[in-house]
């Protein structure tokens, strides 16, 4: 199989805040295992000082890993267990750097961190915080679990999902990068298929959208027809336009947070159309 990826990304400061503390990156590169796609989404802590510094440092560290260290990992022989170990180390290295920097600057700062790697028909996710990864094909699935107080309360049956949406503690994180001695990222993996689309987004992107709207906006056109067809298949310009359109709608609904998203479309070019 030969995989090809089309990507798009957009970030908006929103209608209220003067600083965008979201940071993201998305890369596609040729490797000895074929084409690989990599996306990182970090949401600097809005209630802390210099959240944008924390999210920028984290994105830069992971971007450097993809460009410099992943090729070496693949050359030595890739394994999912090794990737989990490497990503656990990377998250904690990032955490130490932020803790040390915060101490030196006498300023509290932290960030969520969600990384997605697509390689040879498999997805891999490292996740700390409440950004999300969705995969959309014939339907839509949320792959990550929010590491928040309200998500834990819903899982324990102490709160309904509807109550969680409006609870004043909905942004309280159980862990983030830069605010404790160590972190333990969730590590997720699984198969993906021809025509699947991955969405990586900050919480500001999803607060005002239902799951059905996310699927409609990010995988299908408004008339219900698939929007990655014919000449649009490899059109990242069209994808970026769709993200901008969605974010304008989100702002019109009153979202106060920064709004960021990445789309990655996976196509198996060996399949027949």
């Amino acid at each position: 199989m030969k995989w090809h990826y089309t990507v798009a990304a957009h970030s908006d400061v929103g209608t209220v805040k003067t600083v965008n503390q979201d940071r993201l990156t998305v890369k596609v590169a040729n490797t000895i295992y074929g084409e690989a796609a990599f996306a990182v989404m970090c949401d600097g802590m809005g209630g802390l000082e210099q959240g944008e510094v924390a999210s920028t440092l984290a994105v830069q560290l992971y971007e450097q890993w993809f460009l410099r260290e992943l090729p070496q990992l693949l050359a030595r022989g890739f394994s999912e267990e090794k990737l989990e170990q490497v990503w656990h180390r990377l998250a904690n290295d990032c955490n130490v750097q932020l803790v040390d920097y915060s101490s030196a600057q006498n300023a509290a700062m932290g960030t969520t961190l969600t990384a997605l790697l697509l390689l040879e028909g498999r997805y891999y996710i490292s996740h700390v915080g409440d950004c999300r990864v969705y995969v959309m094909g014939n339907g839509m699935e949320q792959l990550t679990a929010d590491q928040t107080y309200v998500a834990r309360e819903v899982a324990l049956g102490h709160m309904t999902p509807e109550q969680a949406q409006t609870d004043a503690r909905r942004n309280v994180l159980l862990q983030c990068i830069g605010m404790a001695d160590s972190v333990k990222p969730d590590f997720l993996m699984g198969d993906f298929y021809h025509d699947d689309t991955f969405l990586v987004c900050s919480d500001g992107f999803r607060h005002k959208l239902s799951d059905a709207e996310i699927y409609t906006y990010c995988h299908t056109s408004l008339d219900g027809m698939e929007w990655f067809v014919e000449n649009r298949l490899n059109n990242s310009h069209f994808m970026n336009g769709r993200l901008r359109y969605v974010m304008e709608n989100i702002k019109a609904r009153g979202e106060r947070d920064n709004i960021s998203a990445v789309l990655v479309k996976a196509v198996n070019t060996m399949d027949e159309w």
Side-chain angles (χ1 to χ4, degrees):
M1 293 184 181
K2 186 176 181 181
W3 290 96
H4 175 71
Y5 307 99
T6 305
V7 302
H10 188 57
S11 185
D12 194 298
V13 69
T15 60
V16 175
K17 296 184 177 181
T18 58
V19 176
N20 191 343
Q21 294 186 320
D22 289 354
R23 294 293 185 272
L24 60 86
T25 189
V26 58
K27 300 289 185 184
V28 177
N30 290 315
T31 76
I32 59 174
Y33 283 71
E35 201 166 86
F38 185 62
V40 182
M41 179 72 63
C42 292
D43 183 353
M45 305 308 296
L48 303 179
E49 304 171 54
Q50 301 184 44
E52 69 278 8
V53 175
S55 56
T56 297
L57 187 150
V59 165
Q60 290 177 344
L61 192 65
Y62 275 73
E63 189 173 69
Q64 291 170 4
W65 173 85
F66 177 72
L67 296 174
R68 299 176 184 178
E69 295 186 37
L70 178 61
Q72 299 175 21
L73 177 64
L74 297 178
R76 292 193 298 266
F78 178 81
S79 73
E80 295 171 340
E81 294 79 10
K82 190 178 298 182
L83 179 64
E84 181 176 10
Q85 293 171 4
V86 168
W87 272 358
H88 184 276
R89 172 189 56 79
L90 188 62
N92 279 278
D93 286 349
C94 183
N95 186 71
V96 169
Q97 288 188 38
L98 277 178
V99 169
D100 290 347
Y101 183 81
S102 298
S103 177
Q105 297 294 315
N106 193 29
M109 62 185 71
T111 182
T112 68
L113 191 149
T114 301
L116 168 71
L117 175 67
L118 304 181
L119 183 69
E120 286 198 307
R122 296 278 286 172
Y123 68 79
Y124 306 95
I125 298 170
S126 184
H127 174 65
V128 176
D130 63 349
C131 290
R132 287 183 181 177
V133 180
Y134 297 88
V135 61
M136 294 167 282
N138 293 328
M140 184 175 77
E141 180 183 1
Q142 179 183 327
L143 298 176
T144 53
D146 298 342
Q147 296 178 352
T148 61
Y149 171 81
V150 295
R152 183 182 65 186
E153 292 303 289
V154 170
L156 293 173
H158 299 161
M159 186 182 295
T160 67
E162 292 73 24
Q163 289 172 328
Q165 289 179 358
T166 58
D167 193 281
R169 299 161 293 184
R170 71 176 187 176
N171 292 324
V172 176
L173 297 175
L174 300 181
Q175 67 169 348
C176 69
I177 305 289
M179 295 302 296
D181 292 338
S182 64
V183 291
K184 186 177 180 181
D186 290 342
F187 181 76
L188 310 165
M189 58 187 177
D191 296 324
F192 64 87
Y193 304 96
H194 175 66
D195 270 350
D196 277 354
T197 302
F198 287 85
L199 168 67
V200 188
C201 63
S202 64
D203 59 337
F205 183 86
R206 59 177 170 79
H207 284 155
K208 301 295 184 179
L209 297 177
S210 66
D211 284 356
E213 287 176 315
I214 291 174
Y215 183 79
T216 297
Y217 282 134
C218 296
H219 186 66
T220 59
S221 68
L222 295 180
D223 61 4
M225 299 296 290
E226 290 191 12
W227 57 286
F228 288 104
V229 294
E230 300 175 356
N231 61 319
R232 292 178 175 176
L233 173 62
N234 297 313
N235 194 337
S236 61
H237 177 74
F238 179 85
M239 294 165 63
N240 273 291
R242 177 50 63 97
L243 286 180
R244 287 178 169 84
Y245 171 82
V246 177
M247 290 184 193
E248 289 303 315
N249 275 270
I250 292 170
K251 289 191 292 182
R253 295 184 184 190
E255 177 57 52
R256 300 173 63 85
D257 204 352
N258 304 145
I259 309 166
S260 302
V262 172
L263 285 174
V264 183
K265 174 72 176 179
V267 174
N268 175 8
T269 58
M270 301 299 289
D271 277 357
E272 296 183 0
W273 289 84

